[in-house]
Amino acid sequence: MAFLTHHICRGLSSSAVRHVVIKNVTIIGGGQMGAGIAQVAASTGHAVTLVDTNEDILKKAVKGIEGNLKRVVKKKFADKPEAGEEFIGKAMQNVSTSTDAGSVVQGTDLVLEAIVENLKVKQDLFGGLDKLAPAHTIFASNTSSLSITDIASSTNRLDRFGGLHFFNPVPVMRLVEVIATSSTSQETFDSLLNFSKMLGKTTVSCKDTPGFMVNRLLLPYILDAVRMYERGDGSKEDIDIAMKLGCGYPMGPFELSDYVGLDTMKFIMDGWSAANPDNPMFAQSEVLNKLVSEGKFGKKTGEGFYKYK
Ligand SMILES: CCCCCCC[C@H](O)CC(=O)SCCNC(=O)CCNC(=O)[C@H](O)C(C)(C)COP(=O)([O-])OP(=O)([O-])OC[C@H]1O[C@@H](n2cnc3c(N)ncnc32)[C@H](O)[C@@H]1OP(=O)([O-])[O-]
Ligand SMILES: NC(=O)c1ccc[n+]([C@@H]2O[C@H](COP(=O)([O-])OP(=O)(O)OC[C@H]3O[C@@H](n4cnc5c(N)ncnc54)[C@H](O)[C@@H]3O)[C@@H](O)[C@H]2O)c1
């Protein structure tokens, strides 16, 4: 298990508050997001323990992190291959893995969750870890759009609970939404803000409102694109081209959906639909349901709206 570091910042500027300096991080969920966050945290000098349900997933995650670090190094150390190798070596040394979250949280400053987008599953995870993690440990969720307040309600550390919403792919996307509930303490918020900055990200401060900032605007856009396609008003290819060339977006809505993962997209939609049953925007999508029921989750399974094999 990685070493324990827990510092209280003192003697900063007069406006600064005491907060936990996050050095030792437990990331639960080694999928797209968890592995990406682990990569960035490890390469910025944090001791990271990545947790998932089985060894195969963790092996794949670690292999992916190493592969992506090579991409980073190719550009960052273009003229200094030895320094690049050293950078990768140091980052990889900072990563350890476990299939037992309970046994690794004792020495951690932050438990950051990036598991399936399901309220009950996230509550069960945090409820269990709350009894095992030290008092100073901060809990945070990378949920796309579930309420942080609802997730935190399974714990007794409401003041040490917040949201850290990263974007996919984490090593490339520069934003982190830092979310405070009405119970999140200023110290916890500052710790989460500083941690995100240490990762080299730009932060925005969000209240715990549905979809925070980005997804509150992105969700209606993507869902409208799906409806447009379902109505036959345009092909998915043309809608994607339209948004890329008409708006300068790097991906069209269907490419982006495949990139996010259609399983995750359906989880998000179902959550919003349950919370807003009368809003037609969140009504079930036949096309999305069919693809998900066929196991076509997008890029990660080789097929979604498009084929990747
Ligand atoms: C209904 C619900 C819907 C809501 C969904 C919400 C989901 C969620 O909550 C919010 C999100 O995340 S929303 C999603 C938000 N996300 C978006 O909106 C993403 C939109 N898409 C994009 O920004 C671009 O298409 C990409 C950056 C993905 C790829 O760029 P490209 O030009 O097509 O292809 P490229 O040339 O291959 O890569 C370019 C550079 O990136 C580098 N690189 C890539 N992956 C890497 C990795 N894993 N590691 C390290 N590096 C990585 C690569 O090496 C290269 O570096 P170089 O130094 O330039 O050589
Ligand atoms: N995909 C995106 O673009 C994106 C962007 C921002 C936020 N998010 C959010 O991040 C979270 C993860 O998304 P993802 O795309 O990485 O999903 P993913 O399916 O790629 O990975 C989820 C991982 O969590 C693991 N997992 C599930 N339950 C677990 C448990 N109880 N304990 C340990 N591990 C468990 C799974 O085995 C899987 O490896 C979701 O809440 C999602 O909404 C996703």
Side-chain angles (χ1 to χ4, degrees), residues 33 39 68-69 71-72 75 142-145 165-173 214-215 218-219 222-223 250-251 256 259-260 264-265 268-269:
M33 297 306 290
Q39 176 185 328
N68 282 327
L69 281 171
R71 293 170 84 174
V72 173
K75 189 178 179 194
N142 180 53
T143 178
S144 292
S145 66
H165 186 217
F166 288 81
F167 294 83
N168 190 14
V170 180
V172 178
M173 304 301 284
V214 172
N215 284 344
L218 185 61
L219 212 91
I222 289 190
L223 295 183
M251 287 175 170
L256 185 57
Y259 197 68
V260 165
T264 298
M265 219 169 104
I268 297 172
M269 248 187 101

Side-chain angles (χ1 to χ4, degrees), residues 123-144:
Q123 283 176 331
D124 285 350
L125 173 78
F126 280 120
L129 294 181
D130 189 34
K131 298 175 185 75
L132 301 168
H136 83 273
T137 304
I138 294 172
F139 285 4
S141 173
N142 180 53
T143 178
S144 292

Side-chain angles (χ1 to χ4, degrees), residues 257-305:
S257 298
D258 276 355
Y259 197 68
V260 165
L262 301 187
D263 51 341
T264 298
M265 219 169 104
K266 179 160 167 56
F267 275 123
I268 297 172
M269 248 187 101
D270 287 349
W272 282 54
S273 172
N276 306 273
D278 301 326
N279 188 334
M281 189 192 292
F282 307 117
Q284 291 295 315
S285 155
E286 231 173 78
V287 169
L288 183 63
N289 285 348
K290 184 169 184 295
L291 289 171
V292 172
S293 71
E294 292 168 351
K296 294 174 181 166
F297 296 165
K299 248 191 136 173
K300 61 181 158 187
T301 58
E303 186 171 350
F305 284 110

Side-chain angles (χ1 to χ4, degrees), residues 75-90:
K75 189 178 179 194
K76 200 170 170 180
F77 298 97
D79 304 325
K80 299 180 212 143
E82 277 167 24
E85 283 302 314
E86 197 185 330
F87 177 84
I88 293 175
K90 272 192 184 161

